[in-house]
Amino acid sequence: IRLALAMFPSDSAKRIVILSDGLETNGNAMEAARLAQATNVRIDVVPLPGQQGPEVAVTNVQLPPTVNVGETFDVTATVESTTETTAVLTLLSAGNVIKTMSVTLKKGTNNFVFSLSANQAKFTDFQVRVDPATGSDTFYQNNELAGFTNVTGPPRILIVNSQPEEIAALLPALQTAGIQADVIAPGDLPIGVAPLAAYRSVVLAN
């Protein structure tokens, strides 16, 4: 509903037609409908047959967008179920199984957490798959969902300096803190945002 409201041209009559089984999956439909009413947008509804049988689905996968190499982080999976059942929850990356856990699902929302350690600097995808007990699921197509994170290497800074003795104490301190530093002369400073984006900070030493 909110997407439709945002897409309407400003100089046209506005009408939304919703084909739905009435089962809310994300957001607040009533709140969005009241917003449509307040802006004089008509909503018509075509009811669809309700879902038959039990259903289990992975509805959300949350993880930090960026982590550092060696950092521990959590992948949180949300599983919705219309019935109480057991299931196997599997975490995969690039098609390879990373972790599995046997879980008990209650009716409604179930949250589970996988704790991982970032070992290699790269853009990494994760998939969470739920395999419920036989007879407790109707549509297998919604049993898997993916999330992504960018694993970055150790933090790097750029030091711009023309006299090495001025940073003689700074470099060892940075190395002790696990921070890598590149040193360049002022005349070699790159122009533009793109070449500087690889650095967490730029230090102009004197």
Side-chain angles (χ1 to χ4, degrees):
I1 295 173
R2 289 183 178 275
L3 177 61
L5 291 175
M7 293 175 63
F8 280 125
S10 59
D11 58 348
S12 65
K14 302 173 179 65
R15 178 187 180 195
I16 298 173
V17 180
I18 299 177
L19 290 78
S20 175
D21 59 5
L23 299 177
E24 189 175 74
T25 55
N26 189 28
N28 189 318
M30 290 303 297
E31 180 181 317
R34 284 192 289 268
L35 178 62
Q37 182 182 32
T39 53
N40 297 317
V41 177
R42 175 179 172 181
I43 295 181
D44 292 323
V45 177
V46 179
L48 300 177
Q51 178 178 288
Q52 303 296 320
E55 182 60 26
V56 173
V58 181
T59 58
N60 193 26
V61 174
Q62 289 186 326
L63 65 163
T66 305
V67 296
N68 292 322
V69 169
E71 181 180 353
T72 299
F73 64 99
D74 292 336
V75 178
T76 302
T78 300
V79 179
E80 301 283 348
S81 179
T82 62
T83 184
E84 294 184 0
T85 185
T86 58
V88 176
L89 205 62
T90 304
L91 178 67
L92 306 97
S93 180
N96 299 315
V97 175
I98 305 299
K99 286 187 176 182
T100 62
M101 65 171 72
S102 298
V103 298
T104 299
L105 302 176
K106 65 180 187 340
K107 287 184 180 180
T109 302
N110 303 263
N111 291 313
F112 304 98
V113 177
F114 294 95
S115 291
L116 302 175
S117 180
N119 298 320
Q120 186 176 359
K122 63 178 181 177
F123 187 80
T124 307
D125 66 299
F126 294 96
Q127 299 87 36
V128 175
R129 186 183 70 218
V130 61
D131 295 298
T134 303
S136 59
D137 195 20
T138 303
F139 300 104
Y140 69 88
Q141 293 90 341
N142 56 15
N143 287 12
E144 184 172 317
L145 200 62
F148 306 89
T149 190
N150 185 27
V151 181
T152 61
R156 300 178 66 88
I157 70 169
L158 179 64
I159 300 177
V160 184
N161 173 257
S162 58
Q163 299 181 10
E165 64 274 9
E166 294 180 341
I167 58 173
L170 178 59
L171 287 179
L174 292 173
Q175 294 168 356
T176 301
I179 299 175
Q180 299 182 9
D182 293 339
V183 181
I184 62 173
D188 297 327
L189 181 65
I191 299 175
V193 174
L196 299 176
Y199 298 100
R200 296 291 183 89
S201 181
V202 177
V203 178
L204 304 180
N206 197 17

CSV table of all heavy atoms in Angstrom, one decimal, residues 121-183:
chain,number,residue,atom,x,y,z
A,121,ALA,N,38.3,-11.8,4.2
A,121,ALA,CA,37.7,-10.5,3.7
A,121,ALA,C,37.1,-10.7,2.3
A,121,ALA,O,37.8,-11.0,1.3
A,121,ALA,CB,38.8,-9.5,3.6
A,122,LYS,N,35.8,-10.6,2.2
A,122,LYS,CA,35.1,-10.7,1.0
A,122,LYS,C,33.6,-10.5,1.2
A,122,LYS,O,33.1,-10.4,2.3
A,122,LYS,CB,35.2,-12.2,0.4
A,122,LYS,CG,34.7,-13.3,1.2
A,122,LYS,CD,34.8,-14.6,0.5
A,122,LYS,CE,34.2,-15.7,1.4
A,122,LYS,NZ,34.3,-17.0,0.7
A,123,PHE,N,32.9,-10.2,0.1
A,123,PHE,CA,31.4,-10.1,0.1
A,123,PHE,C,30.8,-11.5,0.3
A,123,PHE,O,31.1,-12.4,-0.6
A,123,PHE,CB,30.9,-9.4,-1.1
A,123,PHE,CG,29.5,-9.1,-1.1
A,123,PHE,CD1,29.0,-8.0,-0.5
A,123,PHE,CD2,28.6,-9.9,-1.8
A,123,PHE,CE1,27.7,-7.6,-0.4
A,123,PHE,CE2,27.2,-9.6,-1.8
A,123,PHE,CZ,26.8,-8.4,-1.1
A,124,THR,N,30.1,-11.7,1.3
A,124,THR,CA,29.6,-13.1,1.7
A,124,THR,C,28.1,-13.1,1.7
A,124,THR,O,27.4,-12.2,2.3
A,124,THR,CB,30.2,-13.5,3.0
A,124,THR,OG1,31.6,-13.3,3.0
A,124,THR,CG2,29.9,-15.0,3.3
A,125,ASP,N,27.5,-14.1,1.2
A,125,ASP,CA,26.1,-14.4,1.2
A,125,ASP,C,25.8,-15.5,2.2
A,125,ASP,O,26.6,-16.5,2.3
A,125,ASP,CB,25.5,-14.7,-0.2
A,125,ASP,CG,26.0,-16.0,-0.7
A,125,ASP,OD1,27.2,-16.2,-0.8
A,125,ASP,OD2,25.2,-16.9,-0.9
A,126,PHE,N,24.7,-15.4,2.9
A,126,PHE,CA,24.2,-16.5,3.8
A,126,PHE,C,22.8,-16.8,3.5
A,126,PHE,O,22.0,-15.9,3.2
A,126,PHE,CB,24.3,-16.0,5.3
A,126,PHE,CG,25.8,-15.8,5.7
A,126,PHE,CD1,26.3,-14.5,5.7
A,126,PHE,CD2,26.5,-16.9,6.1
A,126,PHE,CE1,27.6,-14.3,6.1
A,126,PHE,CE2,27.8,-16.7,6.6
A,126,PHE,CZ,28.4,-15.4,6.5
A,127,GLN,N,22.4,-18.1,3.5
A,127,GLN,CA,21.1,-18.5,3.3
A,127,GLN,C,20.6,-19.3,4.6
A,127,GLN,O,21.4,-20.1,5.1
A,127,GLN,CB,20.9,-19.4,2.1
A,127,GLN,CG,21.3,-18.8,0.8
A,127,GLN,CD,22.7,-18.9,0.5
A,127,GLN,OE1,23.4,-19.9,0.8
A,127,GLN,NE2,23.3,-17.9,-0.1
A,128,VAL,N,19.4,-19.0,5.0
A,128,VAL,CA,18.8,-19.8,6.1
A,128,VAL,C,17.7,-20.6,5.6
A,128,VAL,O,16.8,-20.1,4.9
A,128,VAL,CB,18.3,-18.8,7.2
A,128,VAL,CG1,17.6,-19.6,8.3
A,128,VAL,CG2,19.5,-18.0,7.8
A,129,ARG,N,17.7,-21.9,5.8
A,129,ARG,CA,16.7,-22.8,5.3
A,129,ARG,C,16.1,-23.6,6.5
A,129,ARG,O,16.8,-24.0,7.4
A,129,ARG,CB,17.3,-23.8,4.3
A,129,ARG,CG,16.3,-24.7,3.7
A,129,ARG,CD,17.0,-25.7,2.8
A,129,ARG,NE,17.7,-26.7,3.5
A,129,ARG,CZ,18.8,-27.3,3.2
A,129,ARG,NH1,19.5,-26.9,2.1
A,129,ARG,NH2,19.4,-28.2,4.0
A,130,VAL,N,14.8,-23.7,6.5
A,130,VAL,CA,14.1,-24.4,7.5
A,130,VAL,C,13.5,-25.7,6.9
A,130,VAL,O,12.8,-25.6,5.8
A,130,VAL,CB,13.0,-23.6,8.2
A,130,VAL,CG1,11.9,-23.1,7.2
A,130,VAL,CG2,12.4,-24.4,9.4
A,131,ASP,N,13.7,-26.8,7.5
A,131,ASP,CA,13.1,-28.1,7.0
A,131,ASP,C,12.2,-28.6,8.2
A,131,ASP,O,12.7,-29.3,9.1
A,131,ASP,CB,14.2,-29.1,6.7
A,131,ASP,CG,15.0,-28.7,5.5
A,131,ASP,OD1,14.4,-28.5,4.4
A,131,ASP,OD2,16.2,-28.4,5.7
A,132,PRO,N,10.9,-28.3,8.1
A,132,PRO,CA,10.0,-28.7,9.2
A,132,PRO,C,9.7,-30.2,9.1
A,132,PRO,O,9.9,-30.9,8.1
A,132,PRO,CB,8.7,-27.9,9.0
A,132,PRO,CG,8.8,-27.6,7.5
A,132,PRO,CD,10.2,-27.5,7.1
A,133,ALA,N,9.1,-30.7,10.2
A,133,ALA,CA,8.7,-32.1,10.2
A,133,ALA,C,7.7,-32.4,9.2
A,133,ALA,O,6.9,-31.6,8.8
A,133,ALA,CB,8.2,-32.5,11.6
A,134,THR,N,7.6,-33.6,8.7
A,134,THR,CA,6.7,-34.1,7.7
A,134,THR,C,5.3,-33.8,8.1
A,134,THR,O,4.8,-34.0,9.2
A,134,THR,CB,6.8,-35.6,7.4
A,134,THR,OG1,8.2,-35.8,7.0
A,134,THR,CG2,5.9,-36.0,6.3
A,135,GLY,N,4.5,-33.1,7.1
A,135,GLY,CA,3.1,-32.9,7.4
A,135,GLY,C,2.8,-31.5,8.1
A,135,GLY,O,1.7,-31.2,8.3
A,136,SER,N,3.9,-30.8,8.4
A,136,SER,CA,3.7,-29.5,9.1
A,136,SER,C,3.9,-28.3,8.2
A,136,SER,O,4.1,-27.2,8.7
A,136,SER,CB,4.6,-29.4,10.3
A,136,SER,OG,5.9,-29.6,9.9
A,137,ASP,N,4.0,-28.5,6.9
A,137,ASP,CA,4.3,-27.4,5.9
A,137,ASP,C,3.5,-27.6,4.7
A,137,ASP,O,3.2,-28.8,4.3
A,137,ASP,CB,5.8,-27.3,5.6
A,137,ASP,CG,6.2,-26.0,5.0
A,137,ASP,OD1,5.4,-25.1,5.1
A,137,ASP,OD2,7.3,-26.0,4.4
A,138,THR,N,3.1,-26.5,4.0
A,138,THR,CA,2.3,-26.6,2.8
A,138,THR,C,3.1,-26.2,1.6
A,138,THR,O,3.2,-26.8,0.5
A,138,THR,CB,1.0,-25.8,2.9
A,138,THR,OG1,0.3,-26.2,4.0
A,138,THR,CG2,0.2,-26.0,1.6
A,139,PHE,N,3.8,-25.0,1.7
A,139,PHE,CA,4.5,-24.4,0.6
A,139,PHE,C,6.0,-24.4,0.9
A,139,PHE,O,6.4,-23.7,1.8
A,139,PHE,CB,4.1,-23.0,0.2
A,139,PHE,CG,2.6,-22.9,-0.2
A,139,PHE,CD1,1.7,-22.4,0.7
A,139,PHE,CD2,2.2,-23.4,-1.4
A,139,PHE,CE1,0.3,-22.4,0.4
A,139,PHE,CE2,0.9,-23.3,-1.8
A,139,PHE,CZ,-0.1,-22.8,-0.9
A,140,TYR,N,6.8,-25.2,0.2
A,140,TYR,CA,8.3,-25.2,0.5
A,140,TYR,C,9.0,-24.0,-0.1
A,140,TYR,O,10.1,-23.7,0.2
A,140,TYR,CB,8.9,-26.5,-0.1
A,140,TYR,CG,8.9,-26.6,-1.6
A,140,TYR,CD1,10.0,-26.1,-2.3
A,140,TYR,CD2,7.8,-27.1,-2.3
A,140,TYR,CE1,10.0,-26.1,-3.7
A,140,TYR,CE2,7.8,-27.2,-3.7
A,140,TYR,CZ,8.9,-26.7,-4.4
A,140,TYR,OH,8.9,-26.7,-5.8
A,141,GLN,N,8.3,-23.3,-1.0
A,141,GLN,CA,9.0,-22.2,-1.7
A,141,GLN,C,9.4,-21.1,-0.8
A,141,GLN,O,10.3,-20.3,-1.1
A,141,GLN,CB,8.1,-21.6,-2.8
A,141,GLN,CG,7.8,-22.6,-4.0
A,141,GLN,CD,6.6,-23.4,-3.8
A,141,GLN,OE1,6.1,-23.6,-2.6
A,141,GLN,NE2,6.1,-24.0,-4.8
A,142,ASN,N,8.8,-20.9,0.4
A,142,ASN,CA,9.1,-19.9,1.3
A,142,ASN,C,10.0,-20.4,2.5
A,142,ASN,O,10.0,-19.7,3.6
A,142,ASN,CB,7.9,-19.2,1.8
A,142,ASN,CG,6.9,-20.1,2.5
A,142,ASN,OD1,7.2,-21.3,2.8
A,142,ASN,ND2,5.7,-19.7,2.7
A,143,ASN,N,10.6,-21.5,2.3
A,143,ASN,CA,11.4,-22.1,3.4
A,143,ASN,C,12.9,-21.6,3.4
A,143,ASN,O,13.7,-22.1,4.3
A,143,ASN,CB,11.4,-23.6,3.3
A,143,ASN,CG,10.0,-24.2,3.7
A,143,ASN,OD1,9.1,-23.4,3.9
A,143,ASN,ND2,9.9,-25.5,3.9
A,144,GLU,N,13.2,-20.7,2.6
A,144,GLU,CA,14.6,-20.3,2.5
A,144,GLU,C,14.7,-18.8,2.2
A,144,GLU,O,13.9,-18.2,1.4
A,144,GLU,CB,15.4,-21.0,1.4
A,144,GLU,CG,16.9,-20.7,1.4
A,144,GLU,CD,17.7,-21.6,0.5
A,144,GLU,OE1,17.4,-22.9,0.5
A,144,GLU,OE2,18.5,-21.1,-0.3
A,145,LEU,N,15.7,-18.1,2.9
A,145,LEU,CA,15.8,-16.7,2.7
A,145,LEU,C,17.3,-16.3,2.8
A,145,LEU,O,18.0,-17.0,3.6
A,145,LEU,CB,15.0,-15.9,3.7
A,145,LEU,CG,14.7,-14.4,3.4
A,145,LEU,CD1,13.8,-14.3,2.1
A,145,LEU,CD2,13.9,-13.8,4.5
A,146,ALA,N,17.8,-15.3,2.1
A,146,ALA,CA,19.2,-15.0,2.1
A,146,ALA,C,19.5,-13.6,2.7
A,146,ALA,O,18.6,-12.7,2.7
A,146,ALA,CB,19.7,-15.0,0.7
A,147,GLY,N,20.7,-13.4,3.2
A,147,GLY,CA,21.2,-12.1,3.6
A,147,GLY,C,22.6,-12.0,3.2
A,147,GLY,O,23.3,-13.0,2.8
A,148,PHE,N,23.2,-10.8,3.3
A,148,PHE,CA,24.5,-10.5,2.8
A,148,PHE,C,25.3,-9.6,3.8
A,148,PHE,O,24.7,-8.8,4.5
A,148,PHE,CB,24.5,-9.8,1.4
A,148,PHE,CG,23.6,-10.5,0.4
A,148,PHE,CD1,22.3,-10.3,0.3
A,148,PHE,CD2,24.2,-11.5,-0.4
A,148,PHE,CE1,21.5,-10.9,-0.6
A,148,PHE,CE2,23.4,-12.2,-1.3
A,148,PHE,CZ,22.1,-11.9,-1.5
A,149,THR,N,26.6,-9.8,3.8
A,149,THR,CA,27.5,-8.9,4.6
A,149,THR,C,28.8,-8.8,3.8
A,149,THR,O,29.2,-9.7,3.0
A,149,THR,CB,27.7,-9.5,6.0
A,149,THR,OG1,28.4,-8.5,6.8
A,149,THR,CG2,28.6,-10.7,6.0
A,150,ASN,N,29.5,-7.7,4.1
A,150,ASN,CA,30.8,-7.5,3.5
A,150,ASN,C,31.9,-7.6,4.6
A,150,ASN,O,31.9,-6.8,5.5
A,150,ASN,CB,30.8,-6.1,2.9
A,150,ASN,CG,32.1,-5.8,2.1
A,150,ASN,OD1,32.8,-6.8,1.7
A,150,ASN,ND2,32.5,-4.6,2.0
A,151,VAL,N,32.7,-8.6,4.5
A,151,VAL,CA,33.8,-8.8,5.5
A,151,VAL,C,35.0,-8.0,5.0
A,151,VAL,O,35.5,-8.3,3.9
A,151,VAL,CB,34.1,-10.3,5.6
A,151,VAL,CG1,35.2,-10.5,6.6
A,151,VAL,CG2,32.9,-11.1,6.0
A,152,THR,N,35.4,-7.1,5.7
A,152,THR,CA,36.5,-6.2,5.4
A,152,THR,C,37.8,-6.6,6.1
A,152,THR,O,37.7,-7.2,7.2
A,152,THR,CB,36.2,-4.7,5.6
A,152,THR,OG1,36.0,-4.6,7.0
A,152,THR,CG2,35.0,-4.3,4.9
A,153,GLY,N,38.9,-6.3,5.6
A,153,GLY,CA,40.2,-6.6,6.2
A,153,GLY,C,40.5,-5.6,7.3
A,153,GLY,O,39.6,-4.8,7.7
A,154,PRO,N,41.7,-5.7,7.9
A,154,PRO,CA,42.0,-4.8,9.0
A,154,PRO,C,41.9,-3.4,8.6
A,154,PRO,O,42.1,-3.0,7.4
A,154,PRO,CB,43.5,-5.2,9.3
A,154,PRO,CG,43.7,-6.5,8.7
A,154,PRO,CD,42.8,-6.6,7.6
A,155,PRO,N,41.5,-2.5,9.5
A,155,PRO,CA,41.3,-1.1,9.2
A,155,PRO,C,42.6,-0.5,8.7
A,155,PRO,O,43.7,-0.8,9.2
A,155,PRO,CB,40.9,-0.4,10.5
A,155,PRO,CG,41.3,-1.4,11.6
A,155,PRO,CD,41.2,-2.7,11.0
A,156,ARG,N,42.5,0.4,7.7
A,156,ARG,CA,43.7,1.0,7.1
A,156,ARG,C,43.5,2.5,7.1
A,156,ARG,O,42.4,3.0,7.0
A,156,ARG,CB,43.9,0.6,5.6
A,156,ARG,CG,44.1,-0.9,5.4
A,156,ARG,CD,44.2,-1.2,3.9
A,156,ARG,NE,45.5,-0.6,3.4
A,156,ARG,CZ,46.6,-1.2,3.4
A,156,ARG,NH1,46.8,-2.4,3.9
A,156,ARG,NH2,47.7,-0.6,2.8
A,157,ILE,N,44.6,3.3,7.3
A,157,ILE,CA,44.5,4.7,7.3
A,157,ILE,C,45.6,5.2,6.3
A,157,ILE,O,46.6,4.5,6.1
A,157,ILE,CB,44.7,5.4,8.6
A,157,ILE,CG1,46.1,5.2,9.2
A,157,ILE,CG2,43.7,4.9,9.6
A,157,ILE,CD1,46.4,6.1,10.4
A,158,LEU,N,45.4,6.4,5.8
A,158,LEU,CA,46.4,7.0,4.9
A,158,LEU,C,47.0,8.2,5.6
A,158,LEU,O,46.3,9.1,6.1
A,158,LEU,CB,45.7,7.5,3.6
A,158,LEU,CG,46.6,8.2,2.6
A,158,LEU,CD1,47.6,7.2,2.1
A,158,LEU,CD2,45.7,8.7,1.5
A,159,ILE,N,48.4,8.2,5.7
A,159,ILE,CA,49.1,9.3,6.3
A,159,ILE,C,49.8,10.1,5.2
A,159,ILE,O,50.6,9.5,4.4
A,159,ILE,CB,50.1,8.7,7.3
A,159,ILE,CG1,49.4,8.0,8.4
A,159,ILE,CG2,51.0,9.9,7.9
A,159,ILE,CD1,50.4,7.3,9.4
A,160,VAL,N,49.5,11.3,5.2
A,160,VAL,CA,50.2,12.2,4.2
A,160,VAL,C,51.2,13.0,4.9
A,160,VAL,O,51.0,13.8,5.9
A,160,VAL,CB,49.1,13.2,3.6
A,160,VAL,CG1,49.8,14.1,2.5
A,160,VAL,CG2,48.0,12.4,3.0
A,161,ASN,N,52.5,12.8,4.5
A,161,ASN,CA,53.6,13.4,5.3
A,161,ASN,C,54.8,13.5,4.4
A,161,ASN,O,55.1,12.7,3.5
A,161,ASN,CB,53.9,12.5,6.5
A,161,ASN,CG,55.2,12.9,7.2
A,161,ASN,OD1,56.2,12.3,7.1
A,161,ASN,ND2,55.0,14.0,8.0
A,162,SER,N,55.6,14.5,4.6
A,162,SER,CA,56.8,14.7,3.8
A,162,SER,C,58.1,14.6,4.6
A,162,SER,O,59.2,14.6,4.1
A,162,SER,CB,56.8,16.1,3.2
A,162,SER,OG,56.7,17.1,4.2
A,163,GLN,N,58.0,14.4,6.0
A,163,GLN,CA,59.2,14.3,6.8
A,163,GLN,C,59.0,13.1,7.7
A,163,GLN,O,58.2,13.2,8.7
A,163,GLN,CB,59.4,15.6,7.7
A,163,GLN,CG,59.6,16.8,6.8
A,163,GLN,CD,59.8,18.1,7.6
A,163,GLN,OE1,59.9,18.0,8.9
A,163,GLN,NE2,59.8,19.2,7.0
A,164,PRO,N,59.7,12.0,7.4
A,164,PRO,CA,59.4,10.7,8.2
A,164,PRO,C,59.6,10.9,9.7
A,164,PRO,O,59.0,10.2,10.5
A,164,PRO,CB,60.5,9.8,7.6
A,164,PRO,CG,60.7,10.3,6.2
A,164,PRO,CD,60.6,11.8,6.3
A,165,GLU,N,60.5,11.7,10.1
A,165,GLU,CA,60.8,11.8,11.6
A,165,GLU,C,59.5,12.3,12.3
A,165,GLU,O,59.4,12.1,13.5
A,165,GLU,CB,62.0,12.8,11.9
A,165,GLU,CG,61.8,14.2,11.4
A,165,GLU,CD,62.2,14.5,10.0
A,165,GLU,OE1,62.4,13.5,9.3
A,165,GLU,OE2,62.2,15.6,9.6
A,166,GLU,N,58.6,13.0,11.6
A,166,GLU,CA,57.4,13.5,12.3
A,166,GLU,C,56.4,12.4,12.6
A,166,GLU,O,55.5,12.7,13.5
A,166,GLU,CB,56.8,14.6,11.4
A,166,GLU,CG,57.6,15.9,11.3
A,166,GLU,CD,57.0,16.9,10.4
A,166,GLU,OE1,56.0,16.5,9.6
A,166,GLU,OE2,57.3,18.1,10.5
A,167,ILE,N,56.5,11.3,12.0
A,167,ILE,CA,55.6,10.2,12.2
A,167,ILE,C,56.3,9.0,12.8
A,167,ILE,O,55.7,7.9,12.8
A,167,ILE,CB,54.8,9.8,11.0
A,167,ILE,CG1,55.7,9.4,9.9
A,167,ILE,CG2,53.9,11.0,10.5
A,167,ILE,CD1,55.0,8.9,8.6
A,168,ALA,N,57.5,9.2,13.3
A,168,ALA,CA,58.3,8.0,13.8
A,168,ALA,C,57.6,7.4,15.0
A,168,ALA,O,57.7,6.2,15.2
A,168,ALA,CB,59.7,8.5,14.2
A,169,ALA,N,56.9,8.1,15.8
A,169,ALA,CA,56.2,7.6,17.0
A,169,ALA,C,54.8,7.1,16.6
A,169,ALA,O,54.2,6.2,17.3
A,169,ALA,CB,56.1,8.6,18.1
A,170,LEU,N,54.2,7.7,15.6
A,170,LEU,CA,52.8,7.4,15.2
A,170,LEU,C,52.7,6.0,14.6
A,170,LEU,O,51.8,5.2,14.9
A,170,LEU,CB,52.3,8.4,14.2
A,170,LEU,CG,50.9,8.2,13.7
A,170,LEU,CD1,49.9,8.2,14.8
A,170,LEU,CD2,50.5,9.3,12.7
A,171,LEU,N,53.6,5.7,13.7
A,171,LEU,CA,53.5,4.4,13.0
A,171,LEU,C,53.5,3.2,13.9
A,171,LEU,O,52.7,2.3,13.8
A,171,LEU,CB,54.6,4.3,11.9
A,171,LEU,CG,54.4,5.2,10.7
A,171,LEU,CD1,55.6,5.0,9.7
A,171,LEU,CD2,53.1,4.8,10.0
A,172,PRO,N,54.5,3.1,14.8
A,172,PRO,CA,54.5,1.9,15.8
A,172,PRO,C,53.2,1.9,16.6
A,172,PRO,O,52.7,0.8,16.9
A,172,PRO,CB,55.7,2.1,16.6
A,172,PRO,CG,56.6,3.1,15.8
A,172,PRO,CD,55.7,3.9,15.1
A,173,ALA,N,52.7,3.0,17.0
A,173,ALA,CA,51.5,3.0,17.8
A,173,ALA,C,50.3,2.5,17.0
A,173,ALA,O,49.5,1.7,17.5
A,173,ALA,CB,51.2,4.4,18.3
A,174,LEU,N,50.2,2.8,15.8
A,174,LEU,CA,49.1,2.3,14.9
A,174,LEU,C,49.3,0.8,14.7
A,174,LEU,O,48.3,0.0,14.8
A,174,LEU,CB,49.2,3.0,13.6
A,174,LEU,CG,48.8,4.5,13.6
A,174,LEU,CD1,49.0,5.1,12.2
A,174,LEU,CD2,47.3,4.7,14.0
A,175,GLN,N,50.5,0.3,14.5
A,175,GLN,CA,50.7,-1.1,14.3
A,175,GLN,C,50.4,-1.9,15.5
A,175,GLN,O,49.8,-3.0,15.4
A,175,GLN,CB,52.2,-1.3,13.8
A,175,GLN,CG,52.5,-0.7,12.5
A,175,GLN,CD,54.0,-0.7,12.2
A,175,GLN,OE1,54.8,-1.1,13.0
A,175,GLN,NE2,54.4,-0.3,11.0
A,176,THR,N,50.7,-1.4,16.7
A,176,THR,CA,50.4,-2.0,17.9
A,176,THR,C,48.8,-2.2,18.1
A,176,THR,O,48.3,-3.2,18.6
A,176,THR,CB,50.9,-1.3,19.1
A,176,THR,OG1,52.3,-1.2,19.0
A,176,THR,CG2,50.6,-1.9,20.4
A,177,ALA,N,48.1,-1.2,17.6
A,177,ALA,CA,46.6,-1.2,17.6
A,177,ALA,C,46.0,-2.1,16.5
A,177,ALA,O,44.8,-2.2,16.4
A,177,ALA,CB,46.1,0.2,17.6
A,178,GLY,N,46.8,-2.7,15.7
A,178,GLY,CA,46.3,-3.5,14.6
A,178,GLY,C,45.8,-2.7,13.4
A,178,GLY,O,45.0,-3.2,12.6
A,179,ILE,N,46.3,-1.5,13.3
A,179,ILE,CA,45.9,-0.6,12.2
A,179,ILE,C,47.0,-0.5,11.1
A,179,ILE,O,48.1,-0.2,11.5
A,179,ILE,CB,45.5,0.8,12.7
A,179,ILE,CG1,44.3,0.7,13.6
A,179,ILE,CG2,45.1,1.7,11.5
A,179,ILE,CD1,43.9,2.0,14.3
A,180,GLN,N,46.7,-0.8,9.9
A,180,GLN,CA,47.7,-0.7,8.8
A,180,GLN,C,47.7,0.7,8.3
A,180,GLN,O,46.6,1.3,8.1
A,180,GLN,CB,47.4,-1.7,7.7
A,180,GLN,CG,47.4,-3.1,8.2
A,180,GLN,CD,47.1,-4.1,7.0
A,180,GLN,OE1,47.1,-3.7,5.9
A,180,GLN,NE2,47.0,-5.4,7.4
A,181,ALA,N,48.8,1.2,8.0
A,181,ALA,CA,48.9,2.6,7.5
A,181,ALA,C,49.8,2.7,6.2
A,181,ALA,O,50.8,2.0,6.1
A,181,ALA,CB,49.6,3.5,8.6
A,182,ASP,N,49.3,3.4,5.3
A,182,ASP,CA,50.1,3.8,4.1
A,182,ASP,C,50.5,5.2,4.2
A,182,ASP,O,49.8,6.1,4.6
A,182,ASP,CB,49.2,3.6,2.8
A,182,ASP,CG,48.8,2.1,2.6
A,182,ASP,OD1,49.5,1.3,3.1
A,182,ASP,OD2,47.8,1.9,1.9
A,183,VAL,N,51.8,5.4,3.8
A,183,VAL,CA,52.4,6.8,3.9
A,183,VAL,C,52.7,7.3,2.5
A,183,VAL,O,53.4,6.6,1.8
A,183,VAL,CB,53.6,6.8,4.8
A,183,VAL,CG1,54.2,8.2,4.9
A,183,VAL,CG2,53.3,6.2,6.2
